[in-house]
Amino acid sequence: YHFIELPLFAAVMLVIILSAYYMANGFFVESSRRKEVRSVFGQYVPPAHIDRILDSGIDSMQGEKKCLTVLFCDIRDFTRISEGMTAQELKSWLNLYLSPMTKVIFANDGTIDKYVGDMIMAFWGAPLDDPAHADKAIVTAFSMLAELSHLNKQFEKTGLARINIGIGLNTGEMNVGDMGSDFRRNYTVLGDAVNLGSRIEGLTKFYGVDVLVSEYTKQKATTFEY
């Protein structure tokens, strides 16, 4: 008789342990990625946008250069108005203004870049690609004016100062990504096209208009008549 010994128990246990390890590791890696994406984009894009980013599998936090549309919105005579308010009144007044404006931007698939005092900066086309980014930015600008009209009626009833805004839009190649230091980061856009958008917003005062778009945004937004 010839006896063959096959230590199957050790081999089977090794397979089970390795399978469990890689499954657990994959779960924690995916969970960590989702948590990181939500922490980065939670304040900038609508919740539905975040779900689409996670489902797409795109690493949206990597820097890239792409064609986007940027929006700058500023309150007219903000310094003069703010000087007549206490710190608490100014905070409440700004929050009442910024919240509905942000909802309008989110409703049109925009990404909030930042608030700088009374200024709102937003852009379209990232982190998810959107061929209609210029059209949506223009729709947002007019929707913000419509929302502001309702908001000013409420301000008049409560004795708060009315708000007038100027909105500038520009389209072009921009660098977009999660940028900053080890201590603080921000998903933002950079480049000459961004700077031009800011300058166009400043020109709304010169021309006496509420919304001003660049020729590049005009060329990209095909659903509008000029």
Side-chain angles (χ1 to χ4, degrees):
Y1 295 93
H2 299 280
F3 296 95
I4 300 174
E5 183 180 355
L6 297 176
L8 294 177
F9 179 78
V12 171
M13 285 303 297
L14 179 62
V15 171
I16 293 174
I17 291 172
L18 288 175
S19 298
Y21 168 76
Y22 284 114
M23 288 177 64
N25 185 64
F27 171 80
F28 286 116
V29 168
E30 178 63 17
S31 177
S32 177
R33 186 182 76 86
R34 287 177 172 268
K35 184 178 180 181
E36 185 179 11
V37 170
R38 289 188 183 279
S39 66
V40 170
F41 295 108
Q43 301 180 59
Y44 309 123
V45 300
H49 246 49
I50 299 177
D51 293 333
R52 288 172 59 194
I53 294 169
L54 293 170
D55 294 338
S56 68
I58 300 172
D59 190 355
S60 303
M61 287 177 285
Q62 294 296 321
E64 57 182 331
K65 179 175 284 189
K66 58 194 304 187
C67 183
L68 308 172
T69 298
V70 66
L71 174 149
F72 285 87
C73 176
D74 208 20
I75 296 178
R76 303 275 175 81
D77 297 325
F78 175 74
T79 302
R80 178 185 60 80
I81 296 173
S82 62
E83 286 176 348
M85 297 182 179
T86 65
Q88 185 60 41
E89 289 172 342
L90 179 61
K91 170 196 163 185
S92 300
W93 181 69
L94 269 180
N95 289 345
L96 288 172
Y97 160 73
L98 291 173
S99 293
M101 295 297 106
T102 301
K103 287 181 181 179
V104 171
I105 293 171
F106 280 176
N108 290 281
D109 299 329
T111 299
I112 295 292
D113 189 304
K114 61 176 68 74
Y115 307 112
V116 182
D118 62 305
M119 187 202 76
I120 303 173
M121 179 181 172
F123 56 88
W124 283 256
L128 292 172
D129 291 334
D130 191 346
H133 55 81
D135 298 271
K136 288 184 178 180
I138 294 176
V139 169
T140 301
F142 288 115
S143 298
M144 290 171 73
L145 291 175
E147 182 65 28
L148 184 63
S149 177
H150 297 304
L151 193 61
N152 276 329
K153 290 179 181 178
Q154 298 177 18
F155 284 171
E156 289 176 355
K157 292 178 181 178
T158 56
L160 293 173
R162 285 178 54 87
I163 293 177
N164 294 309
I165 60 175
I167 301 174
L169 298 170
N170 185 44
T171 302
E173 275 202 343
M174 307 172 193
N175 294 300
V176 58
D178 184 32
M179 306 178 193
S181 67
D182 293 336
F183 303 99
R184 180 167 182 155
R185 306 178 74 84
N186 185 31
Y187 188 73
T188 187
V189 289
L190 300 171
D192 292 338
V194 180
N195 298 335
L196 180 57
S198 177
R199 292 185 175 92
I200 288 172
E201 185 280 316
L203 287 174
T204 57
K205 299 176 184 177
F206 179 80
Y207 288 108
V209 295
D210 296 323
V211 180
L212 192 61
V213 304
S214 70
E215 59 178 313
Y216 308 110
T217 302
K218 176 184 175 183
Q219 292 168 2
K220 194 71 175 177
T222 56
T223 60
F224 288 87
E225 294 182 1
Y226 301 94

